[in-house]
Amino acid sequence: MTGQVRGVQLARLLGQWHALPGRRRSPDYAALAGTVRGLLADGRLPLGVRLPAERELAEALRISRTTVTAAYRQLRETGHLASRRGAGSWTMLPGNHRVASTGLWTPLDDREMLDLGVAALAAPPQLLTAARAATEDLPRYLGGAGYHPTGIIELREAVADAYAARGLPTSADQIMVTSGTQHALDLVLRLALAPGGSVLVESPTYPNALAALAGRRARITTHGLAADGWEPDLLLGSLRQTRPKLAYLIPEFQNPTGHLMPAELRERVVAAAHAVGTDLVIDESFVDLPLDGTELPPPVGVYDRHSRVISIGGMSKPYWGGLRIGWVRASAPQVQRLAAVRVGVDMASPVLDQLVAVHLLADADTIVAERRVQLAVQRDALLGALAQRLPDWRVTVPRGGVTLWAELDGPVSSALARAAEEVGVRLAPGPRFGLDGTMERFLRLPFTLPAADLVEAVGRIAAVRYDLDRTGRQRWREPAVIA
Ligand SMILES: Cc1ncc(COP(=O)(O)O)c(C=O)c1O
């Protein structure tokens, strides 16, 4: 057991549970149980928490206790709840589920699913060639123990060169290779943030970054992104007022919104962070993926004169997530301190995978150019399908990255995600990208699947969106007390 959720808290999470799609066909207890299952699947209700006693939840929802009793019974029958007499009921998941790469739980038998929950491309064709070439290189390393806590020198040099090519002179001893960007973030947090430390993040932001911050029990404040990106005065004002220990920002094609931070704001953020003693963790996951010939502003690190900026990035978005190669760019002493932390975690990254990365980076110009063309085609297919099938949704055309952030025609994101799952489309609903269950009007749509799949997915989403209206609209207008 990891905690307990009180009746009023669960009531808040459950929101408009009585307005579920298909609601008119199902009794109250089934709608309630269905919404609890949805919260578990969305990751908004953790596993292993104790649910409120039946009477407490009934009072919080202003419904009869027998309805809650029946809902809990159904949850036990479907394997979502374990109860012990006198001790309470805990959330769990049925055995036929697994953790997906989004961090969400998904059924095991989902091969046919069009997965729009994950914003990552399949591997490029060059990956096999790079892997074969890497095995040829491997003998050079086999005479040693193979532990390189900061990474093999060839890869650190290649990554440092790429920074230099972007206008940020970097030496190999400023680079530490990690097992993906997420690992880089976790290590940086271990080094730079004491448990319970304060952190500023964008809202919405990348959910797994929030998970990493939760792991440090960080106290989080947010900067709300506007429809066209960061609001400079508010962002700088938040830094000055809250003086967080650390700020985590995604300036290039922000996940999920796709915004690109302008050069001037980069400079001002670094200056403000230095003035208040905040370290900046800059996630550059999407920096290689400007589309439509969009010019990139200088890297945030260019404005850093006091080692305030720690940049993290990796191979997952331009190349392949399965490679699990990322890195940290920091000062050489910080890299040494990170390496000391790292040996207490996983010692080092696999040598063979790092060699594969070296070969891919040697071919970066070709591979990345192809990825950009592919992504632009897929983005345009997605935009076209949305304009045709869901014309009331508002989207800003992202000039890079792999996601677009759609504003829906109502606060239905979670309900829509649940309904879409039924027709074979997995979605990451808006609240996954916020802190407190807000963002129900938004949905992140990645354009990483082939164009035909994206068009098919939008068609299915549009169909269930229409169904939501038919079954739920009445209830949205007049939230009723159900007894
Ligand atoms: C902003 C951001 N940071 C980090 C990651 C994790 O990347 P990696 O696969 O390199 O760990 C992602 C992946 O979606 C991301 O979007």
Side-chain angles (χ1 to χ4, degrees), residues 373-390:
V373 171
Q374 177 189 357
L375 283 167
V377 168
Q378 289 170 189
R379 176 200 60 185
D380 293 346
L382 177 60
L383 286 168
L386 287 171
Q388 203 188 356
R389 304 298 307 271
L390 289 155

Side-chain angles (χ1 to χ4, degrees), residues 8 43 60 155 158 188 289 305 441:
V8 281
L155 182 53
V188 169
L289 299 174
R305 281 170 206 89
R441 290 188 70 87

Side-chain angles (χ1 to χ4, degrees), residues 95-117:
N96 58 348
H97 279 61
R98 65 177 171 84
V99 183
S101 54
T102 47
L104 303 182
W105 291 84
T106 62
L108 276 175
D109 54 348
D110 64 347
R111 291 217 177 82
E112 299 305 313
M113 187 71 81
L114 292 172
D115 193 347
L116 298 192

Side-chain angles (χ1 to χ4, degrees), residues 9-24 26 28 30-36 39 44 61 63 410-416 418 431 437 440 468 471-482:
Q9 291 171 318
L10 185 54
R12 204 175 311 130
L13 278 174
L14 287 164
Q16 303 269 1
W17 62 274
H18 44 274
L20 270 183
R23 164 75 189 86
R24 282 184 182 163
S26 61
D28 292 344
L32 182 56
T35 309
V36 171
L39 288 172
R44 291 168 60 197
L61 293 174
I63 59 177
V412 294
S413 198
S414 297
L416 187 64
R418 270 169 240 141
E440 277 292 1
L468 281 189
T471 55
R473 177 159 281 172
Q474 215 48 35
R475 295 282 177 165
W476 282 106
R477 282 213 209 101
E478 30 155 329
V481 176
I482 297 170

Side-chain angles (χ1 to χ4, degrees), residues 119-139:
L121 292 160
Q126 292 89 344
L127 197 112
L128 270 183
T129 329
R132 288 198 190 100
T135 58
E136 304 284 314
D137 292 343
L138 193 58

